[in-house]
């Protein structure tokens, strides 16, 4: 249960309360919205009494799905939004000596609010004598600010990691970090697991009946080739022996592309553009048009995180894309018309499996086929 209340004017209090109710009760409006798993699909878990799952307000539906899969009730916490913009948090049950998992993507809308909410929840659990605190961050805000691209700028991804550590987090679980080296921003006493969200999309595309001889997986830039290769390898394991190609793009500025070049051939092929996130969708829709001009048959896209800022929904609706498949790490904007092109898949089972393995001190990397590591 997550309660929201305000202080000050009656109008401000009512607005805050109505916002919280909408977050908690309204379903995600999507053509293929994620649905909670059936009771029989629950994940076996030992020592459930020591496990506590809590959620901030960023993605309550996902947190509830995870709790249902683990057959653990979602923890009771009161999150109050005050009239002056501050946030007040109170945990409404005992967490002393417990293994606490806080599910909170630091995603839009309200990236900074969600980040502060996460930090305060970690601090609250630490002050309440929780034994171990794991922050489950399906979408890691500020991940794209992972290095200095100009003088006198912060490395914000590292600063967020330091903030989490300073509040007392013991472990972090993220999904498809923009750059894998963000794991290194956390010290050796704070392990960071970077789960591969693409495994959620592989079964979807394998079920489309794609022809191995005419299917290509496309990396939208040089930095995403490894991700695209992993996706292609996953398709091969599912019977689709796809090829691989890459787009080389030259940026004018953030979210603006000056030129695109294609490495490889897509003539007569069904192509899948694979990336970690879709923001304004400008690059994605431009890439889809370029691939169509190069002779591609159908153009699909898969990204773990559907940020969908600004004109993204409109651009996708008017684009050459057949389907845009994303995970529910970020809730879709209920106020936007999504048309029939956006498909949202649930990542709850992957996160629930990871939580169960961490809680049982089992291998997390064993979740991913082809990874022989045992960590």
């Amino acid at each position: 249960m997550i309660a929201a209340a305000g202080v000050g004017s009656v109008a401000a209090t009512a607005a805050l309360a109505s916002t919280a109710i909408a977050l908690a009760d309204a379903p995600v409006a999507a053509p293929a919205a994620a649905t909670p798993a059936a009771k029989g699909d629950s994940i076996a878990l030992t020592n459930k009494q020591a496990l506590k799952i809590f959620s901030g307000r960023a993605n309550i539906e996902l947190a509830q799905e995870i709790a249902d899969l683990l057959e653990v009730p979602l923890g009771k916490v009161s999150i109050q939004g005050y009239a002056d913009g501050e946030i007040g948090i109170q945990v409404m049950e005992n967490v002393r000596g417990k293994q606490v998992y806080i599910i909170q993507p630091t995603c839009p809308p309200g990236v900074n609010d969600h980040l502060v909410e996460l930090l305060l929840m970690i601090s609250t659990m630490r002050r309440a004598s929780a034994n171990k605190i794991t922050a489950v961050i399906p979408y890691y805000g500020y991940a794209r600010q992972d290095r200095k691209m100009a003088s006198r700028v912060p490395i914000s991804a590292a600063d967020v990691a330091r903030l989490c550590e300073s509040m007392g987090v013991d472990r972090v679980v993220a999904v498809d970090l923009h750059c894998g080296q963000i794991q290194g921003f956390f010290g050796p006493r704070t392990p960071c697991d970077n789960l591969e969200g693409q495994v959620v999309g592989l079964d979807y595309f394998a079920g489309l009946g794609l022809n191995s001889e005419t299917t290509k997986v496309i990396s939208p830039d040089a930095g995403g080739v490894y991700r695209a290769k992993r996706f292609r390898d996953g398709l091969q394991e599912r019977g689709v022996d796809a090829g691989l190609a890459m787009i080389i793009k030259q940026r004018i500025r953030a979210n603006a592309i000056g030129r695109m070049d294609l490495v490889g051939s897509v003539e007569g092929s069904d192509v899948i553009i694979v990336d970690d996130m879709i923001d304004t969708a400008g690059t994605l829709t431009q890439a889809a048009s370029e691939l169509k001009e190069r002779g591609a048959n159908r153009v699909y896209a898969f990204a773990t995180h559907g940020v969908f800022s600004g004109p993204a929904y409109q651009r996708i609706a008017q684009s050459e894309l057949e389907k845009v498949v994303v995970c529910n790490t970020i809730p879709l904007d209920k106020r936007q018309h999504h048309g029939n092109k956006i498909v949202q898949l649930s990542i709850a089972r992957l996160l629930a499996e990871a939580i169960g393995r961490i809680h049982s001190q089992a291998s997390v990397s064993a979740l991913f086929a082809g990874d022989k590591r045992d960590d």
Side-chain angles (χ1 to χ4, degrees):
M1 179 185 73
I2 296 179
V7 295
S9 67
V10 174
T13 303
L16 288 162
S18 62
T19 301
I21 292 170
L23 281 170
D25 298 335
V28 175
T35 56
K39 189 82 170 178
D41 294 333
S42 60
I43 295 169
L45 195 65
T46 59
N47 195 18
K48 290 185 180 180
Q49 294 78 13
L51 176 67
K52 292 284 187 179
I53 296 179
F54 291 89
S55 173
R57 293 180 291 183
N59 199 338
I60 300 171
E61 292 89 348
L62 175 59
Q64 187 62 63
E65 278 191 71
I66 294 170
D68 290 343
L69 284 166
L70 293 171
E71 295 186 327
V72 174
L74 199 58
K76 298 178 181 179
V77 58
S78 172
I79 303 177
Q80 300 178 330
Y82 297 115
D84 62 355
E86 294 180 359
I87 299 171
I89 293 176
Q90 183 180 11
V91 178
M92 308 302 290
E93 56 186 84
N94 179 33
V95 296
R96 184 179 297 275
K98 303 295 185 181
Q99 308 284 329
V100 173
Y101 294 82
I102 303 170
I103 300 167
Q104 175 81 336
T106 52
C107 62
V111 174
N112 296 326
D113 286 344
H114 293 154
L115 175 58
V116 171
E117 203 171 285
L118 172 63
L119 296 173
L120 293 179
M121 289 185 74
I122 294 171
S123 174
T124 302
M125 300 300 177
R126 179 56 64 208
R127 295 173 189 272
S129 300
N131 181 29
K132 186 176 181 181
I133 303 168
T134 299
V136 180
I137 311 176
Y139 174 77
Y140 188 99
Y142 290 97
R144 284 175 282 184
Q145 300 182 41
D146 60 344
R147 60 194 183 278
K148 292 188 70 171
M149 297 295 291
S151 301
R152 299 173 296 280
V153 296
I155 304 177
S156 302
D159 296 333
V160 169
R162 287 177 176 268
L163 286 169
C164 290
E165 285 187 307
S166 66
M167 290 296 101
V169 74
D170 293 297
R171 192 184 191 102
V172 171
V173 177
V175 181
D176 272 339
L177 291 168
H178 186 62
C179 291
Q181 63 263 29
I182 292 174
Q183 293 174 277
F185 292 157
F186 294 91
R189 296 183 180 180
T190 310
C192 178
D193 297 297
N194 185 23
L195 306 183
E196 296 180 9
Q198 65 186 25
V199 299
V200 178
L202 287 170
D203 289 335
Y204 175 86
F205 284 101
L208 291 179
L210 298 173
N211 188 329
S212 296
E213 296 180 0
T214 58
T215 301
K216 293 287 180 67
V217 176
I218 309 294
S219 171
D221 52 45
V225 171
Y226 176 75
R227 182 182 297 109
K229 184 178 180 299
R230 291 280 292 176
F231 194 88
R232 184 199 63 178
D233 293 345
L235 286 177
Q236 288 178 340
E237 293 171 1
R238 289 160 176 79
V240 182
D241 191 10
L244 189 66
M246 178 182 69
I247 292 174
I248 300 176
K249 56 190 178 185
Q250 299 178 14
R251 288 190 182 273
I252 303 173
R253 57 186 180 277
N255 295 323
I257 303 299
R259 177 181 171 181
M260 287 186 171
D261 296 308
L262 179 66
V263 179
S265 174
V266 295
E267 182 73 31
S269 298
D270 291 331
V271 300
I272 307 169
I273 304 172
V274 177
D275 209 348
D276 63 320
M277 70 175 71
I278 301 170
D279 191 355
T280 61
T283 302
L284 175 64
T285 54
Q286 188 175 343
S289 298
E290 183 73 21
L291 292 168
K292 274 288 190 178
E293 289 178 7
R294 300 293 183 100
N297 182 19
R298 294 179 294 179
V299 182
Y300 298 91
F302 173 78
T304 303
H305 311 295
V307 181
F308 299 137
S309 303
Y313 289 107
Q314 182 179 0
R315 284 174 173 172
I316 290 171
Q318 298 172 353
S319 72
E320 300 279 0
L321 291 157
E322 293 283 329
K323 294 289 182 183
V324 175
V325 183
V326 296
C327 298
N328 61 341
T329 56
I330 302 174
L332 293 180
D333 190 343
K334 303 174 183 67
R335 299 168 297 178
Q336 294 282 354
H337 174 65
H338 306 130
N340 60 355
K341 289 191 174 184
I342 297 177
V343 177
Q344 190 179 56
L345 306 177
S346 176
I347 203 167
R349 174 163 288 277
L350 176 63
L351 289 170
E353 289 275 9
I355 290 172
R357 287 175 176 272
I358 292 169
H359 185 66
S360 304
Q361 298 185 3
S363 170
V364 175
S365 62
L367 286 170
F368 307 103
D371 194 334
K372 303 301 183 184
R373 295 170 299 171
D374 187 27
D375 53 15

